[in-house]
Amino acid sequence: MEKLAQLYEGKAKKVYKTSEPGMVWIEYKDDATAFNGEKKGQIAGKGMLNNEISAIFLSLLKEKGVDNHFIKKISSREQIVRQVDIIPIEVVVRNIAAGSLAKRLGWEEGTELPQAIVEFYYKNDELGDPFINNDHVAILGLATESELADIHKQALRINEILKEYLMTRNLILVDFKLEFGQTPEGQIILADEISPDTCRFWDAHTKEKLDKDRFRRDLGNVEEAYQEILRRLGGKVDV
Ligand code: UDP
């Protein structure tokens, strides 16, 4: 398979066309951004770590019957995925109050939620990814009611699988963001990445933060936290 023209460059990844129809080539970058791009930096080795971490999670989900775009990892920072039309909705699932939810509800960070919450945000950098509900999704024409119900159901299933798996690795899945895409056949599948950039992971005992909050909040040892996640998942980076 050949890598062809760049299709898109995002904050954390570059996407290229390939010689294979229906497949795209993803390159994970070390660039890190937070607060809608206001804070910028680099996390050494992040591209390699997230490529491997995401491959582990997406493979696990596939094994458990959650179809997704992942096909194969091809190098330390590159993977091949199915080409899908990304639905511009950021789907956030939460088990514990943190970040924007803690702020919005006035709940102390770390408070366990009585049940998992699914939230939708409009994926639009200019607007700063605003919080939206089902009615907004409908009037913006982002997804039909049944597609949104499908996304909601898949998000909760993914949460159950990841939460349970991470608990065996002494990690609490606090919250995370998912993106879904539509295949040419009209199926809605999980896409994008699942990594410490897009999830909050806390050590189950010490509650130490092992994710991008270390970058957002200048807590130090950012790279080490990402490495620790990979170590607990049993993966390794091949340099
Ligand atoms: N998240 C993300 N991309 C975004 C916004 C949020 O991956 O553009 C993830 C974030 O890492 C966290 C979850 O979604 O795991 C919930 O984030 P929250 O709404 O609390 O916003 P934040 O505090 O990150 O601004």
Side-chain angles (χ1 to χ4, degrees), residues 196-211:
D197 269 11
T198 62
C199 304
R200 286 194 169 95
F201 300 121
W202 292 355
D203 178 89
H205 302 295
T206 65
K207 307 280 157 46
E208 188 190 1
K209 295 179 185 359
L210 296 168
D211 55 59

Side-chain angles (χ1 to χ4, degrees), residues 12-227:
K13 295 183 289 293
K14 288 182 185 170
V15 182
Y16 299 88
K17 253 176 105 151
T18 69
S19 50
E20 200 69 44
M23 293 189 194
V24 290
W25 186 299
I26 307 276
E27 185 186 317
Y28 280 75
K29 307 193 293 181
D30 289 348
D31 298 346
T33 62
F35 313 120
N36 200 30
E38 266 173 52
K39 184 180 166 93
K40 287 194 176 77
Q42 290 244 321
I43 300 171
K46 178 171 84 75
M48 290 193 286
L49 290 157
N50 281 358
N51 186 35
E52 178 63 18
I53 293 168
S54 208
I56 292 173
F57 283 132
L58 293 172
S59 304
L60 168 78
L61 288 165
K62 210 166 249 191
E63 264 170 45
K64 301 272 183 187
V66 178
D67 201 5
N68 61 68
H69 76 157
F70 181 71
I71 297 174
K72 61 178 175 190
K73 205 182 137 198
I74 48 163
S75 80
S76 61
R77 58 174 71 237
E78 295 163 303
Q79 56 181 253
I80 302 295
V81 304
R82 277 181 80 177
Q83 185 164 25
V84 293
D85 275 334
I86 293 287
I87 296 166
I89 303 174
E90 299 202 343
V91 180
V92 169
V93 184
R94 304 175 182 274
N95 298 304
I96 292 186
S100 69
L101 181 80
K103 210 182 256 179
R104 190 165 352 108
L105 300 186
W107 284 24
E108 199 186 334
E109 188 160 87
T111 310
E112 198 169 326
L113 305 178
Q115 62 183 60
I117 294 182
V118 179
E119 297 174 346
F120 304 123
Y121 294 84
Y122 182 21
K123 186 173 154 68
N124 182 315
D125 281 340
E126 255 169 59
L127 299 176
D129 300 343
F131 186 56
I132 52 173
N133 67 18
N134 295 44
D135 289 343
H136 299 106
V137 170
I139 63 152
L140 288 166
L142 306 180
T144 66
E145 211 177 309
S146 71
E147 285 167 349
L148 199 61
D150 180 9
I151 288 172
H152 188 273
K153 194 171 157 203
Q154 290 197 49
L156 286 176
R157 173 85 185 118
I158 292 163
N159 183 43
E160 285 310 311
I161 295 167
L162 296 182
K163 202 172 63 170
E164 207 173 287
Y165 172 78
L166 287 160
M167 203 29 97
T168 67
R169 312 281 154 147
N170 265 316
L171 290 166
I172 297 174
L173 180 60
V174 174
D175 56 31
F176 58 100
K177 185 261 302 178
L178 300 171
E179 291 184 26
F180 291 85
Q182 196 152 29
T183 66
E185 298 78 38
Q187 191 195 351
I188 290 179
I189 59 169
L190 175 65
D192 199 44
E193 68 181 281
I194 302 182
S195 73
D197 269 11
T198 62
C199 304
R200 286 194 169 95
F201 300 121
W202 292 355
D203 178 89
H205 302 295
T206 65
K207 307 280 157 46
E208 188 190 1
K209 295 179 185 359
L210 296 168
D211 55 59
K212 198 161 122 184
D213 269 349
R214 301 204 72 83
F215 170 77
R216 291 188 190 99
R217 303 178 190 187
D218 295 320
L219 301 175
N221 294 330
V222 186
E223 187 192 334
E224 289 78 2
Y226 283 59
Q227 283 167 352

